[in-house]
Amino acid sequence: MMRRPPTEWQQWLADFSQGEQTEAWRGIMCFLRWIQIRAENGHPIPNFLSAMEGDIFHSHLLRRLLDGKDPLEAPPPESFGQPWYELVEKGQGTATEVKPWEWAPEQKISVNRCIWTILEKKSNDEFIVTYRLNRDSFRLSKSAEGAWQLERLGG
């Protein structure tokens, strides 16, 4: 299934709302976009209402769409189990908990309790890392003060 670009969704909104109850139709549009993105990422809509309500209530992506923001190309990295949109949007962030991942310490590192892949280990205090489906690489480095920073490389 091809993801509709934002301009196509805006046309959908104009066609369906016909200039009436636009905000209600925008909510429906956001819900449909959310369903499409979930399906693309292997998360079908639950077939019973209480589970769907739970997914709706806890969805950061749906809230992002309702706030008028476009979805990212790939799911964002996580920080303590929550989407780290700020890291992707600003290109930098501070990690408060960094340690080798116990199951593959040479290949993986835990950053704010989420597993990142080590692309290159420059030293014990500097790594080039990437996160799951996100194609961006980040420099993970420890400052002289002991704080860990992530900074997107390139672009």
Side-chain angles (χ1 to χ4, degrees):
M1 171 188 317
M2 289 289 293
R3 185 182 298 184
R4 291 179 177 173
T7 54
E8 191 174 319
W9 278 113
Q10 291 305 316
Q11 185 61 50
W12 180 97
L13 177 58
D15 291 346
F16 276 76
S17 72
Q18 298 176 1
E20 297 177 11
Q21 301 174 331
T22 307
E23 195 58 23
W25 283 105
R26 195 181 78 70
I28 293 168
M29 177 193 73
C30 291
F31 182 72
L32 293 174
R33 288 181 83 182
W34 176 69
I35 289 172
Q36 180 182 32
I37 293 165
R38 283 177 55 102
E40 289 171 358
N41 288 281
H43 300 287
I45 292 296
N47 60 0
F48 51 100
L49 186 58
S50 61
M52 186 185 306
E53 287 174 340
D55 285 1
I56 289 169
F57 181 77
H58 295 288
S59 176
H60 292 276
L61 173 60
L62 182 56
R63 290 179 189 277
R64 178 180 177 84
L65 295 170
L66 290 168
D67 283 342
K69 298 177 183 175
D70 284 323
L72 301 176
E73 290 295 316
E78 294 179 357
S79 177
F80 299 104
Q82 301 300 312
W84 203 347
Y85 287 113
E86 183 178 303
L87 176 63
V88 175
E89 291 168 341
K90 292 185 177 182
Q92 59 187 12
T94 301
T96 57
E97 184 180 296
V98 175
K99 59 184 177 181
W101 191 48
E102 64 182 283
W103 302 108
E106 297 302 316
Q107 293 89 28
K108 306 284 184 178
I109 192 163
S110 174
V111 177
N112 290 354
R113 297 189 185 163
C114 293
I115 307 305
W116 290 62
T117 299
I118 299 170
L119 300 175
E120 181 181 351
K121 180 178 179 179
K122 298 200 173 258
S123 72
N124 287 336
D125 294 334
E126 184 177 358
F127 302 86
I128 305 301
V129 296
T130 190
Y131 185 81
R132 294 187 192 166
L133 300 176
N134 193 310
R135 294 185 301 238
D136 293 334
S137 297
F138 290 82
R139 178 182 321 284
L140 173 64
S141 58
K142 190 175 188 180
S143 70
E145 297 80 33
W148 286 95
Q149 298 294 317
L150 279 161
E151 181 179 2
R152 185 174 35 241
L153 299 174

PDB file of all heavy atoms in Angstrom, residues 46-56:
ATOM      1  N   PRO A  46      -6.925  -3.525  15.989  1.00  0.00           N
ATOM      2  CA  PRO A  46      -7.558  -4.626  16.720  1.00  0.00           C
ATOM      3  C   PRO A  46      -9.012  -4.809  16.292  1.00  0.00           C
ATOM      4  O   PRO A  46      -9.670  -3.848  15.893  1.00  0.00           O
ATOM      5  CB  PRO A  46      -7.486  -4.180  18.177  1.00  0.00           C
ATOM      6  CG  PRO A  46      -6.443  -3.124  18.219  1.00  0.00           C
ATOM      7  CD  PRO A  46      -6.430  -2.481  16.865  1.00  0.00           C
ATOM      8  N   ASN A  47      -9.493  -6.028  16.383  1.00  0.00           N
ATOM      9  CA  ASN A  47     -10.856  -6.310  15.931  1.00  0.00           C
ATOM     10  C   ASN A  47     -11.883  -6.229  17.063  1.00  0.00           C
ATOM     11  O   ASN A  47     -12.991  -6.710  16.905  1.00  0.00           O
ATOM     12  CB  ASN A  47     -10.925  -7.663  15.221  1.00  0.00           C
ATOM     13  CG  ASN A  47     -10.506  -8.797  16.123  1.00  0.00           C
ATOM     14  OD1 ASN A  47     -10.165  -8.590  17.280  1.00  0.00           O
ATOM     15  ND2 ASN A  47     -10.528 -10.005  15.593  1.00  0.00           N
ATOM     16  N   PHE A  48     -11.520  -5.639  18.184  1.00  0.00           N
ATOM     17  CA  PHE A  48     -12.512  -5.418  19.231  1.00  0.00           C
ATOM     18  C   PHE A  48     -12.305  -4.025  19.814  1.00  0.00           C
ATOM     19  O   PHE A  48     -11.198  -3.496  19.877  1.00  0.00           O
ATOM     20  CB  PHE A  48     -12.486  -6.505  20.307  1.00  0.00           C
ATOM     21  CG  PHE A  48     -11.139  -6.796  20.893  1.00  0.00           C
ATOM     22  CD1 PHE A  48     -10.784  -6.261  22.117  1.00  0.00           C
ATOM     23  CD2 PHE A  48     -10.235  -7.629  20.233  1.00  0.00           C
ATOM     24  CE1 PHE A  48      -9.547  -6.523  22.667  1.00  0.00           C
ATOM     25  CE2 PHE A  48      -9.004  -7.896  20.785  1.00  0.00           C
ATOM     26  CZ  PHE A  48      -8.651  -7.347  22.004  1.00  0.00           C
ATOM     27  N   LEU A  49     -13.396  -3.397  20.182  1.00  0.00           N
ATOM     28  CA  LEU A  49     -13.451  -1.984  20.522  1.00  0.00           C
ATOM     29  C   LEU A  49     -12.543  -1.590  21.677  1.00  0.00           C
ATOM     30  O   LEU A  49     -11.838  -0.581  21.594  1.00  0.00           O
ATOM     31  CB  LEU A  49     -14.900  -1.578  20.821  1.00  0.00           C
ATOM     32  CG  LEU A  49     -15.132  -0.092  21.054  1.00  0.00           C
ATOM     33  CD1 LEU A  49     -14.694   0.729  19.860  1.00  0.00           C
ATOM     34  CD2 LEU A  49     -16.589   0.153  21.370  1.00  0.00           C
ATOM     35  N   SER A  50     -12.515  -2.351  22.756  1.00  0.00           N
ATOM     36  CA  SER A  50     -11.723  -1.920  23.920  1.00  0.00           C
ATOM     37  C   SER A  50     -10.236  -1.853  23.586  1.00  0.00           C
ATOM     38  O   SER A  50      -9.531  -0.953  24.049  1.00  0.00           O
ATOM     39  CB  SER A  50     -11.976  -2.834  25.121  1.00  0.00           C
ATOM     40  OG  SER A  50     -11.597  -4.166  24.811  1.00  0.00           O
ATOM     41  N   ALA A  51      -9.742  -2.787  22.782  1.00  0.00           N
ATOM     42  CA  ALA A  51      -8.331  -2.743  22.389  1.00  0.00           C
ATOM     43  C   ALA A  51      -8.067  -1.549  21.467  1.00  0.00           C
ATOM     44  O   ALA A  51      -7.035  -0.889  21.576  1.00  0.00           O
ATOM     45  CB  ALA A  51      -7.928  -4.043  21.703  1.00  0.00           C
ATOM     46  N   MET A  52      -9.005  -1.278  20.556  1.00  0.00           N
ATOM     47  CA  MET A  52      -8.837  -0.130  19.663  1.00  0.00           C
ATOM     48  C   MET A  52      -8.835   1.167  20.463  1.00  0.00           C
ATOM     49  O   MET A  52      -8.028   2.063  20.212  1.00  0.00           O
ATOM     50  CB  MET A  52      -9.930  -0.083  18.602  1.00  0.00           C
ATOM     51  CG  MET A  52      -9.687   1.020  17.575  1.00  0.00           C
ATOM     52  SD  MET A  52     -10.987   1.250  16.363  1.00  0.00           S
ATOM     53  CE  MET A  52     -11.169  -0.362  15.679  1.00  0.00           C
ATOM     54  N   GLU A  53      -9.731   1.265  21.442  1.00  0.00           N
ATOM     55  CA  GLU A  53      -9.772   2.465  22.273  1.00  0.00           C
ATOM     56  C   GLU A  53      -8.447   2.658  22.999  1.00  0.00           C
ATOM     57  O   GLU A  53      -7.937   3.772  23.099  1.00  0.00           O
ATOM     58  CB  GLU A  53     -10.915   2.382  23.279  1.00  0.00           C
ATOM     59  CG  GLU A  53     -12.273   2.570  22.664  1.00  0.00           C
ATOM     60  CD  GLU A  53     -13.404   2.342  23.662  1.00  0.00           C
ATOM     61  OE1 GLU A  53     -13.185   1.678  24.709  1.00  0.00           O
ATOM     62  OE2 GLU A  53     -14.507   2.828  23.391  1.00  0.00           O
ATOM     63  N   GLY A  54      -7.880   1.577  23.511  1.00  0.00           N
ATOM     64  CA  GLY A  54      -6.584   1.657  24.184  1.00  0.00           C
ATOM     65  C   GLY A  54      -5.492   2.132  23.250  1.00  0.00           C
ATOM     66  O   GLY A  54      -4.671   2.989  23.609  1.00  0.00           O
ATOM     67  N   ASP A  55      -5.463   1.589  22.040  1.00  0.00           N
ATOM     68  CA  ASP A  55      -4.466   2.003  21.048  1.00  0.00           C
ATOM     69  C   ASP A  55      -4.633   3.475  20.695  1.00  0.00           C
ATOM     70  O   ASP A  55      -3.653   4.217  20.571  1.00  0.00           O
ATOM     71  CB  ASP A  55      -4.568   1.156  19.775  1.00  0.00           C
ATOM     72  CG  ASP A  55      -3.997  -0.238  19.944  1.00  0.00           C
ATOM     73  OD1 ASP A  55      -3.527  -0.567  21.056  1.00  0.00           O
ATOM     74  OD2 ASP A  55      -4.021  -0.993  18.960  1.00  0.00           O
ATOM     75  N   ILE A  56      -5.868   3.919  20.528  1.00  0.00           N
ATOM     76  CA  ILE A  56      -6.138   5.324  20.204  1.00  0.00           C
ATOM     77  C   ILE A  56      -5.662   6.219  21.343  1.00  0.00           C
ATOM     78  O   ILE A  56      -4.969   7.214  21.126  1.00  0.00           O
ATOM     79  CB  ILE A  56      -7.645   5.539  19.917  1.00  0.00           C
ATOM     80  CG1 ILE A  56      -8.026   4.889  18.584  1.00  0.00           C
ATOM     81  CG2 ILE A  56      -7.994   7.023  19.923  1.00  0.00           C
ATOM     82  CD1 ILE A  56      -9.532   4.818  18.348  1.00  0.00           C
TER      83      ILE A  56
END
